[in-house]
């Protein structure tokens, strides 16, 4: 066991949450004269200042975080070669499948036969339903294979109890627990703008139409996205022509259909109205501590950020259609772009130079925390990790890092953060009795409230060619069902239009080739049949909101460990009638839209599907959206949440837990933008803690 030099900040994970914090903190220094944090841009040569020392741990391979140009290009090209060779092009297919840092993979998920768990993959699944989503433990995290869609949450998503009376079960009492967030949309709005700047969002604010009481001016304010919208596909335009101005009937109510262009984290054309590039600057206020502001920079106009090895590559989306699992040119944002900004800073000669105060250690699997029990503060005193030596070997070196004077930030995904916390036990004496506790778990909410969007797919043939498989994975969504009074009764959903034909539900075009060959077609007949079918395939996609539930959870069990002897996530997961009725209603909406468009419905749900349910005597099947959230929820009190609204642990003054696990509810938006927004906001509290530490 070894000790390392103490750092001001230790971050576990290099995904978007960890990378954002590293970038924002490293953009600031401590002014020893003014006794406060200031942005680098405001530091004069003659000023006295102290740099922040930051150490990041990444469970993935060293090759994934070597951010010099040559190594970055080499590693990414290796990802691409792997992707081309894989027959099943699932989200994790381009990336290393590590036995030392395994990841959940959709190919590993199987039906569960209680009481026996599914142990095939990394997750140990007790069900009764399989959790259907995956993640990847690699430099940059799951943003390497996300779709890149970046809608904001809606105002009512933050107050489901207040607006619709929704409450959830409490794990240890008969009392119900509210599901309102400790913050509202208006509080988060400026941080959404910061996240959209950092990600580089393309979109048209004027085309965003939602079923909300607020006007676009109230929702967005005087604002434009950094880049122009990604053009909507020809297929989307044909569907819009058939549906615009119409409605569907659900729950005896007519719901107008609105098909809008989707905001996306991929490069298009910089919007001239956005103006100059921005910096996120912290300013000290007397009442509230630090406040982050998105300030204009007078240096240059906003530019699209290209690949991490070549700024002139990936400046525009090229429409490769492989956004999931990999963008060949890195026109789509990934967290490595933000991480590189933390690792390299502009020096006095206006050149990028390596930041000597920022260190990233890969192949380092953090598995537990220790607590200082010498007083009532319960500081995190050590971070424990196992550092493996190579991709091939499972040999590791045990390390413990002293964190007694450090801020510790868990920024792994919503499986890994609770796994680390649940593996971190400590004993305290209360009223003469020794009591075992779990780090950050006074509320018994760590690992609970696991959520995902259930993706119900419907597919069919359009009456005329619409030519899918071109452009990004999705450029349009149906926003009509994202909110409404029905949410007191069943789930809301968002409906992206997918540009992937029947690839997801029916393994097209391979399945089409197999079918036509079985029918005896060959040569020109086969070509004509494929041309007709593939050009007319359409896929509707219903991302159905799941409510938090304490019994949907991640736990650990020493019986199930990985190659390094670290507990694997044990998952208990099911659906309630609230979500099942949402599927029923979404299918009804799909049927009506297909009829209006003249689409021949080929949708089939089978008893053999891994994720299938029967509701009101009708079968429905679903997939995971990759939106793993809720396992260390934020809240107003330590009795029903793991962190406060700044993602700071209620139980330990030097511990922050960030990422999608903080989300109190899921809403109907892809979670990456929202987790980025509240992670950025958490930096205000972290800066305050660092200032207080430096003043001592």
């Amino acid at each position: 066991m070894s000790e390392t030099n103490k750092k001001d900040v230790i971050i576990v994970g290099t995904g978007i949450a960890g990378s954002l914090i590293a970038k924002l903190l490293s953009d600031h220094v401590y002014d020893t004269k003014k006794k406060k944090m200031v942005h680098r841009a405001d530091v004069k040569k003659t000023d006295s200042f102290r740099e922040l020392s930051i150490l990041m741990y990444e469970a993935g391979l060293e090759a994934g975080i070597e951010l010099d140009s040559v190594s970055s290009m080499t590693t990414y090209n290796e990802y691409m070669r792997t992707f081309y060779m894989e027959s099943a092009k699932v989200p994790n297919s381009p990336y290393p499948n590590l036995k030392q840092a395994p990841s959940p993979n959709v190919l590993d998920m199987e039906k569960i036969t209680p009481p026996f768990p599914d142990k095939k993959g990394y997750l140990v699944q007790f069900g009764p339903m399989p959790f259907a989503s995956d993640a990847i433990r690699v430099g940059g995290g799951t943003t390497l294979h996300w779709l890149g869609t970046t809608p904001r949450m809606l105002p009512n998503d933050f107050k489901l109890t207040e607006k619709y009376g929704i409450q959830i079960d409490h794990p240890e009492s008969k009392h119900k627990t509210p599901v309102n967030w400790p913050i509202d949309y208006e509080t988060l709005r400026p941080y959404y703008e910061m996240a959209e700047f950092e990600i580089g969002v393309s979109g048209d604010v004027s085309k965003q139409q939602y079923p909300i009481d607020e006007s676009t001016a109230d929702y967005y304010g005087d604002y434009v996205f950094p880049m122009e919208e990604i053009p909507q596909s020809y297929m989307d335009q044909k569907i819009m022509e058939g549906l615009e101005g119409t409605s569907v009937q659900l729950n005896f109510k007519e719901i107008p259909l609105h098909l809008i262009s989707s905001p996306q984290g991929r490069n298009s054309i910089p919007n001239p109205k956005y103006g100059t590039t921005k910096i996120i600057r912290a300013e000290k206020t007397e009442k509230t501590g630090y406040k982050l502001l998105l300030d204009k920079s007078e240096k240059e106009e906003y530019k699209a950020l290209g690949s991490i090895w070549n700024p002139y590559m990936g400046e525009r989306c090229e429409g490769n259609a492989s956004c999931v699992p990999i963008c060949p040119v890195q026109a789509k944002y990934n967290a490595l772009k933000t991480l590189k900004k933390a690792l390299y800073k502009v020096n006095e000669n206006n050149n990028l130079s390596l930041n000597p105060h920022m260190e990233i250690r890969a192949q380092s699997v953090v598995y537990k925390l220790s607590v200082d029990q010498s007083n009532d503060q319960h500081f995190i005193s050590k971070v424990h990790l196992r550092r493996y030596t190579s991709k091939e070997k499972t040999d590791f070196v045990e390390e413990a890092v002293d964190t007694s004077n450090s801020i510790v930030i868990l920024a792994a995904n919503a499986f890994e953060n609770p796994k680390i916390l649940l593996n971190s036990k400590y004993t305290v004496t209360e009223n003469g009795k020794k009591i075992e506790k779990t780090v950050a778990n006074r509320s018994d909410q760590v690992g609970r409230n696991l959520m995902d969007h259930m993706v119900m797919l419907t597919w069919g043939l359009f009456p005329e060619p619409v030519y899918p498989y071109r452009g990004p994975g999705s450029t349009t969504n149906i926003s009509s069902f994202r909110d409404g009074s029905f949410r007191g009764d069943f789930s809301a959903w968002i409906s992206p239009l997918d540009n992937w034909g029947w690839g997801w539900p029916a393994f097209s075009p391979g399945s089409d080739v197999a079918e036509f060959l079985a029918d005896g077609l060959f040569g020109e007949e086969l070509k004509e049949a494929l041309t007709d079918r593939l050009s007319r395939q359409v896929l509707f996609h219903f991302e159905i909101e799941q409510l938090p539930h304490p019994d949907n959870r991640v736990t650990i069990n020493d019986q199930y460990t990985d190659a390094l002897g670290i507990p694997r996530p044990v998952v208990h997961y099911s659906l309630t009638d609230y979500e099942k009725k949402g599927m029923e209603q979404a299918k009804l909406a799909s049927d009506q839209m297909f009829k209006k468009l003249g689409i021949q419905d080929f949708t089939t749900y089978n008893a053999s599907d891994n994720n299938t349910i029967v509701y009101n005597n009708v079968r429905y099947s679903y997939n995971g959206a990759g939106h793993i959230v809720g396992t260390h929820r934020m809240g107003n009190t330590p009795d029903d949440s793991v962190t406060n609204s700044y993602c700071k642990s209620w139980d330990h003054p030097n511990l922050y837990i960030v990422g999608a696990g903080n989300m109190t509810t899921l809403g109907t938006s892809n979670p990456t933008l929202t987790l980025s927004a509240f992670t950025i906001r958490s930096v205000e509290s972290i800066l305050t803690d660092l200032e207080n530490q430096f003043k001592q």
Side-chain angles (χ1 to χ4, degrees):
M1 185 174 292
S2 63
E3 297 279 348
T4 63
N5 293 330
K6 293 182 179 180
K7 303 291 183 179
D8 297 323
V9 180
I10 294 175
I11 303 172
V12 180
T14 63
I16 190 167
S19 295
L20 280 169
I21 290 176
K23 188 260 182 183
L24 293 172
L25 290 181
S26 62
D27 279 346
H28 291 82
V29 297
Y30 180 65
D31 189 318
T32 56
K33 291 182 178 179
K34 297 178 181 178
K35 304 293 184 184
K36 66 176 184 179
M37 299 291 178
V38 296
H39 195 278
R40 287 181 178 275
D42 300 327
V43 173
K44 309 301 180 186
K45 288 184 179 180
T46 56
D47 284 352
S48 297
F49 64 92
R50 172 183 168 176
E51 293 273 4
L52 305 182
S53 60
I54 301 172
L55 172 60
M56 300 185 77
Y57 286 113
E58 167 56 47
L61 293 177
E62 193 81 38
I65 57 167
E66 291 176 332
L67 296 180
D68 61 281
S69 295
V70 174
S71 298
S72 297
M73 182 175 65
T74 300
T75 299
Y76 205 76
N77 284 341
E78 183 61 33
Y79 293 163
M80 288 300 303
R81 282 191 292 270
T82 304
F83 166 63
Y84 292 141
M85 296 300 293
E86 291 289 337
S87 56
K89 311 227 183 269
V90 297
N92 284 3
S93 59
Y95 309 105
N97 182 18
L98 302 173
K99 52 181 173 287
Q100 305 91 338
S103 300
N105 192 315
V106 294
L107 297 178
D108 293 328
M109 295 168 194
E110 299 180 337
K111 271 197 163 185
I112 298 169
T113 306
F116 306 103
D118 168 24
K119 300 181 290 183
K120 179 182 177 183
Y122 174 51
L123 303 180
V124 180
Q125 300 232 41
F126 276 87
M129 298 298 298
F131 188 82
S133 283
D134 59 13
I136 188 70
R137 296 165 77 184
V138 68
T142 305
T143 56
L144 264 68
H145 70 50
W146 71 315
L147 177 58
T149 308
T150 53
R152 301 180 183 183
M153 290 182 73
L154 302 181
N156 286 341
D157 294 337
F158 295 88
K159 49 185 180 182
L160 290 182
T161 301
E162 176 185 332
K163 185 71 178 179
Y164 302 115
I166 295 172
Q167 298 187 81
I168 62 171
D169 294 333
H170 189 281
E172 294 183 347
S173 74
K174 296 181 180 180
H175 298 292
K176 295 287 186 178
T177 302
V179 291
N180 293 331
W181 287 56
I183 49 177
D184 57 17
Y185 172 78
E186 198 59 33
T187 299
L188 208 55
R189 190 168 80 172
Y191 306 97
Y192 272 129
E193 295 181 8
M194 296 177 204
E196 286 159 351
F197 160 70
E198 182 58 38
I199 290 172
V201 169
S202 300
D204 188 339
V205 167
S206 68
K207 293 184 180 179
Q208 302 306 302
Q209 190 173 5
Y210 307 116
I212 56 178
D213 296 332
E214 294 80 3
S215 65
T216 302
D218 291 333
Y219 184 70
Y220 279 108
D222 183 16
Y223 179 71
V224 297
F225 292 119
M227 289 182 279
E228 307 276 7
E229 71 174 343
I230 300 288
Q232 292 168 280
S233 69
Y234 177 77
M235 180 193 74
D236 291 358
Q237 294 174 40
K238 297 300 292 184
I239 293 173
M240 289 165 64
E241 287 175 10
L243 293 182
E244 282 288 6
T246 69
S247 61
V248 299
Q249 188 177 68
L250 296 178
N251 253 18
F252 307 106
K253 291 185 178 180
E254 292 290 326
I255 299 179
L257 294 174
H258 301 299
L259 289 83
I260 64 174
S261 64
S262 299
Q264 302 180 54
R266 71 188 81 253
N267 291 334
S268 64
I269 300 172
N271 190 338
K273 295 180 181 178
Y274 192 73
T276 59
T277 191
K278 308 290 194 291
I279 59 174
I280 301 176
R281 181 201 313 269
E283 291 192 357
K284 184 73 179 290
T285 63
E286 291 184 4
K287 293 183 178 179
T288 58
Y290 286 96
K291 191 75 174 176
L292 290 178
L293 302 171
L294 188 62
D295 279 354
K296 292 181 180 179
S297 167
E298 302 303 325
K299 290 185 177 180
E300 58 184 7
E301 294 298 305
Y302 178 85
K303 293 181 180 179
L305 185 61
S307 74
I308 55 174
W309 63 86
N310 182 351
Y312 303 106
M313 182 178 185
E315 287 188 291
R316 302 288 184 272
C317 172
E318 298 179 1
N320 286 289
S322 63
C323 316
V324 177
I326 191 168
C327 174
V329 296
Q330 287 195 344
K332 182 187 70 174
Y333 170 85
N334 68 66
L336 292 174
K337 296 185 179 186
T338 296
L339 190 61
K340 188 164 186 176
K341 294 178 189 176
L343 198 59
Y344 290 86
K345 297 299 180 186
V346 176
N347 61 25
E348 57 190 26
N349 298 320
N350 208 31
N351 295 320
L352 284 179
S353 60
L354 192 64
N355 177 9
H357 306 281
M358 172 83 192
E359 182 181 1
I360 307 175
R361 296 182 189 168
Q363 298 174 203
S364 301
V365 184
V366 173
Y367 68 97
K368 72 175 181 179
L369 310 175
S370 289
V371 174
D372 180 359
Q373 301 170 45
S374 62
N375 55 46
D376 294 335
Q377 291 290 303
H378 292 170
F379 276 82
I380 301 301
S381 58
K382 282 185 173 63
V383 167
H384 299 263
L385 62 127
R386 290 177 178 165
R387 184 177 174 86
Y388 57 95
T389 55
S390 72
K391 180 180 179 180
E392 292 74 25
K393 298 179 180 179
T394 56
D395 299 343
F396 62 85
V397 177
E398 185 81 18
E399 294 184 8
V401 182
D402 186 351
T403 62
S404 53
N405 293 311
S406 304
I407 303 295
V408 178
I409 301 168
L410 294 186
N413 63 46
F415 287 136
E416 300 304 314
N417 276 349
K419 188 187 80 172
I420 293 168
L421 294 171
L422 292 170
N423 198 40
S424 304
K425 306 287 187 182
Y426 65 106
T427 303
V428 299
T429 302
E430 294 181 1
N431 300 321
K433 295 182 179 180
K434 288 187 176 182
I435 301 174
E436 185 179 65
K437 292 192 173 185
T438 305
V439 166
N441 202 21
R442 186 192 331 181
S443 62
D444 190 28
Q445 292 287 346
V446 169
R448 295 188 184 273
N449 308 304
L450 176 65
M451 293 174 278
D452 191 9
H453 283 118
M454 283 71 67
V455 178
M456 191 186 75
L457 304 173
T458 60
W459 57 100
L461 288 178
F462 208 77
E464 61 183 274
V466 289
Y467 307 109
Y469 302 98
R470 304 186 302 175
S474 180
T475 55
T476 300
N477 73 82
I478 304 171
S479 64
S480 307
F481 312 99
R482 291 190 64 190
D483 196 20
S485 58
F486 63 83
R487 291 179 85 177
D489 189 28
F490 59 85
S491 296
W493 66 83
I494 191 171
S495 293
L497 303 181
D498 286 351
N499 290 335
W500 293 318
W502 298 355
W504 194 354
F507 307 105
S508 184
S511 58
D512 304 297
V513 174
E515 177 186 338
F516 293 142
L517 287 175
D519 291 340
L521 300 185
F522 191 73
E524 284 299 317
E525 286 186 324
L526 175 62
K527 182 179 177 181
E528 289 175 4
L530 287 171
T531 299
D532 175 67
R533 177 174 289 184
L534 296 179
S535 66
R536 295 194 292 126
Q537 288 181 354
V538 292
L539 178 65
F540 279 30
H541 173 155
F542 301 85
E543 289 190 8
I544 296 164
E545 176 184 24
Q546 184 170 29
L547 290 179
H549 193 286
D551 292 337
N552 285 342
R553 63 188 303 195
V554 176
T555 62
I556 59 173
N557 187 322
D558 289 340
Q559 181 180 348
Y560 308 107
T561 58
D562 63 21
L564 298 186
I566 299 171
R568 294 157 57 189
V570 176
V571 177
H572 302 259
Y573 185 74
S574 65
L575 308 183
T576 68
D577 283 351
Y578 185 83
E579 291 92 26
K580 293 174 184 177
K581 187 171 182 180
M583 289 186 194
E584 174 190 64
Q585 297 298 308
K587 184 61 169 66
L588 290 174
S590 176
D591 292 344
Q592 293 173 64
M593 289 187 286
F594 274 25
K595 184 176 181 180
K596 293 176 190 294
L597 293 166
I599 293 174
Q600 182 183 358
D601 196 347
F602 277 71
T603 305
T604 56
Y605 304 130
N606 302 309
S608 59
D609 295 340
N610 287 339
N611 301 79
T612 188
I613 60 163
V614 174
Y615 182 71
N616 286 339
N617 298 315
V618 178
R619 181 171 299 281
Y620 306 93
S621 296
Y622 67 94
N623 298 273
H627 301 163
I628 309 164
V629 310
T631 52
H632 43 86
R633 66 194 307 219
M634 64 168 68
N636 285 310
T637 73
D639 296 328
D640 60 8
S641 57
V642 179
T643 75
N644 66 13
S645 66
Y646 288 94
C647 307
K648 185 174 183 178
S649 164
W650 293 109
D651 300 354
H652 311 282
N654 65 331
L655 177 63
Y656 287 79
I657 311 160
V658 299
N662 291 99
M663 294 179 68
T664 312
T665 59
L666 180 55
T668 54
S669 59
N670 308 56
T672 301
L673 185 73
T674 296
L675 80 85
S676 299
F678 64 66
T679 295
I680 290 171
R681 182 174 178 267
S682 74
V683 171
E684 295 175 350
S685 178
I686 297 169
L687 288 172
T688 299
D689 287 349
L690 286 169
E691 179 193 302
N692 293 334
Q693 182 174 301
F694 293 162
K695 283 180 177 179
Q696 293 177 2

